[in-house]
Coordinates of all heavy atoms in Angstrom, one line a residue:
H473 N -5.5 -26.4 14.6 CA -6.6 -27.1 15.3 C -7.8 -27.1 14.4 O -8.3 -26.1 13.9 CB -6.9 -26.5 16.6 CG -7.6 -27.4 17.6 ND1 -8.8 -28.0 17.3 CD2 -7.3 -27.8 18.8 CE1 -9.1 -28.8 18.3 NE2 -8.2 -28.6 19.3
P474 N -8.4 -28.3 14.2 CA -9.6 -28.3 13.3 C -10.7 -27.4 13.9 O -11.5 -26.8 13.1 CB -10.1 -29.8 13.4 CG -8.9 -30.6 13.7 CD -8.0 -29.7 14.6
F475 N -10.8 -27.2 15.2 CA -11.8 -26.3 15.7 C -11.5 -24.9 15.6 O -12.3 -24.0 15.9 CB -12.1 -26.7 17.2 CG -13.1 -27.9 17.3 CD1 -12.7 -29.2 17.1 CD2 -14.5 -27.6 17.5 CE1 -13.6 -30.2 17.1 CE2 -15.4 -28.7 17.5 CZ -15.0 -30.0 17.4
A476 N -10.2 -24.5 15.4 CA -9.9 -23.1 15.2 C -10.5 -22.5 14.0 O -10.7 -21.3 13.9 CB -8.4 -23.0 15.2
Q477 N -10.9 -23.4 13.0 CA -11.6 -22.9 11.9 C -12.9 -22.2 12.3 O -13.3 -21.2 11.7 CB -12.0 -24.0 10.9 CG -10.8 -24.8 10.3 CD -11.2 -26.0 9.5 OE1 -12.4 -26.3 9.4 NE2 -10.3 -26.6 8.8
A478 N -13.5 -22.7 13.4 CA -14.7 -22.1 13.8 C -14.6 -20.7 14.3 O -15.5 -19.9 14.3 CB -15.3 -22.9 15.0
N479 N -13.4 -20.3 14.7 CA -13.2 -18.9 15.1 C -13.1 -18.0 13.9 O -13.5 -16.8 14.0 CB -11.9 -18.8 16.0 CG -12.2 -19.6 17.3 OD1 -13.3 -19.7 17.8 ND2 -11.1 -20.2 17.9
W480 N -12.5 -18.4 12.9 CA -12.5 -17.7 11.6 C -13.9 -17.5 11.1 O -14.4 -16.4 10.8 CB -11.6 -18.5 10.6 CG -11.5 -18.0 9.2 CD1 -12.0 -16.8 8.7 CD2 -10.9 -18.6 8.1 NE1 -11.7 -16.7 7.3 CE2 -11.0 -17.8 7.0 CE3 -10.2 -19.9 8.0 CZ2 -10.5 -18.2 5.7 CZ3 -9.6 -20.2 6.8 CH2 -9.8 -19.4 5.6
Y481 N -14.6 -18.6 11.2 CA -16.1 -18.6 10.8 C -16.9 -17.6 11.6 O -17.6 -16.8 11.1 CB -16.6 -20.0 10.9 CG -18.0 -20.2 10.4 CD1 -18.3 -20.4 9.1 CD2 -19.1 -20.0 11.2 CE1 -19.6 -20.5 8.6 CE2 -20.4 -20.2 10.8 CZ -20.6 -20.4 9.4 OH -21.9 -20.5 8.9
A482 N -16.6 -17.7 13.0 CA -17.4 -16.8 13.9 C -17.1 -15.3 13.6 O -18.0 -14.5 13.7 CB -17.0 -17.2 15.3
L483 N -15.9 -15.0 13.3 CA -15.6 -13.6 13.0 C -16.4 -13.1 11.9 O -17.0 -12.0 12.0 CB -14.1 -13.5 12.7 CG -13.4 -12.1 12.6 CD1 -13.4 -11.5 11.2 CD2 -13.9 -11.1 13.7
G484 N -16.5 -13.9 10.8 CA -17.2 -13.4 9.6 C -18.7 -13.3 10.0 O -19.4 -12.3 9.6
R485 N -19.2 -14.3 10.7 CA -20.7 -14.2 11.0 C -21.0 -13.1 11.9 O -22.1 -12.5 11.8 CB -21.1 -15.6 11.6 CG -20.9 -16.8 10.6 CD -21.8 -16.7 9.4 NE -23.2 -16.9 9.7 CZ -24.2 -16.2 9.3 NH1 -24.0 -15.0 8.7 NH2 -25.4 -16.5 9.6
L486 N -20.2 -12.8 12.9 CA -20.4 -11.7 13.9 C -20.3 -10.4 13.2 O -20.9 -9.4 13.6 CB -19.5 -11.8 15.1 CG -19.9 -12.9 16.1 CD1 -18.8 -13.1 17.1 CD2 -21.2 -12.4 16.9
A487 N -19.4 -10.3 12.2 CA -19.2 -9.0 11.6 C -20.4 -8.7 10.6 O -20.8 -7.6 10.5 CB -17.9 -9.0 10.8
W488 N -20.9 -9.8 10.1 CA -22.1 -9.6 9.3 C -23.3 -9.3 10.2 O -24.1 -8.4 9.9 CB -22.4 -10.9 8.5 CG -23.6 -10.8 7.6 CD1 -24.9 -10.9 7.9 CD2 -23.5 -10.4 6.2 NE1 -25.7 -10.7 6.7 CE2 -24.8 -10.4 5.7 CE3 -22.5 -10.1 5.3 CZ2 -25.2 -10.1 4.4 CZ3 -22.8 -9.8 4.0 CH2 -24.1 -9.8 3.5
D489 N -23.4 -10.0 11.3 CA -24.5 -9.7 12.2 C -24.0 -9.7 13.7 O -23.9 -10.8 14.3 CB -25.6 -10.8 12.1 CG -26.7 -10.7 13.1 OD1 -26.7 -9.7 13.9 OD2 -27.6 -11.5 13.1
P490 N -23.7 -8.5 14.2 CA -23.1 -8.5 15.5 C -24.0 -8.8 16.7 O -23.6 -8.8 17.8 CB -22.6 -7.0 15.6 CG -23.4 -6.3 14.6 CD -23.8 -7.2 13.5
Y491 N -25.2 -9.3 16.3 CA -26.2 -9.7 17.4 C -26.5 -11.2 17.3 O -27.3 -11.7 18.1 CB -27.5 -8.9 17.3 CG -27.1 -7.4 17.4 CD1 -26.9 -6.6 16.2 CD2 -27.0 -6.8 18.6 CE1 -26.6 -5.3 16.4 CE2 -26.7 -5.5 18.7 CZ -26.4 -4.7 17.6 OH -26.1 -3.4 17.7
I492 N -25.9 -11.9 16.4 CA -26.2 -13.3 16.2 C -25.6 -14.1 17.4 O -24.6 -13.7 18.0 CB -25.5 -13.8 14.9 CG1 -26.0 -15.2 14.5 CG2 -24.0 -13.9 15.0 CD1 -25.5 -15.7 13.1
S493 N -26.3 -15.2 17.8 CA -25.9 -15.9 19.0 C -24.8 -16.9 18.7 O -24.6 -17.4 17.6 CB -27.1 -16.7 19.6 OG -27.3 -17.8 18.9
S494 N -24.0 -17.2 19.8 CA -22.9 -18.2 19.6 C -23.5 -19.6 19.3 O -22.8 -20.3 18.5 CB -22.2 -18.3 20.9 OG -21.7 -17.1 21.4
E495 N -24.6 -19.9 19.8 CA -25.3 -21.2 19.5 C -25.5 -21.3 18.0 O -25.2 -22.4 17.4 CB -26.6 -21.3 20.2 CG -26.5 -21.5 21.7 CD -26.3 -20.2 22.5 OE1 -26.1 -19.2 21.8 OE2 -26.4 -20.3 23.7

Side-chain angles (χ1 to χ4, degrees):
H473 201 303
F475 276 81
Q477 297 178 354
N479 295 330
W480 176 5
Y481 186 85
L483 189 272
R485 299 295 287 128
L486 279 166
W488 185 274
D489 175 3
Y491 302 93
I492 194 175
S493 76
S494 306
E495 287 82 351

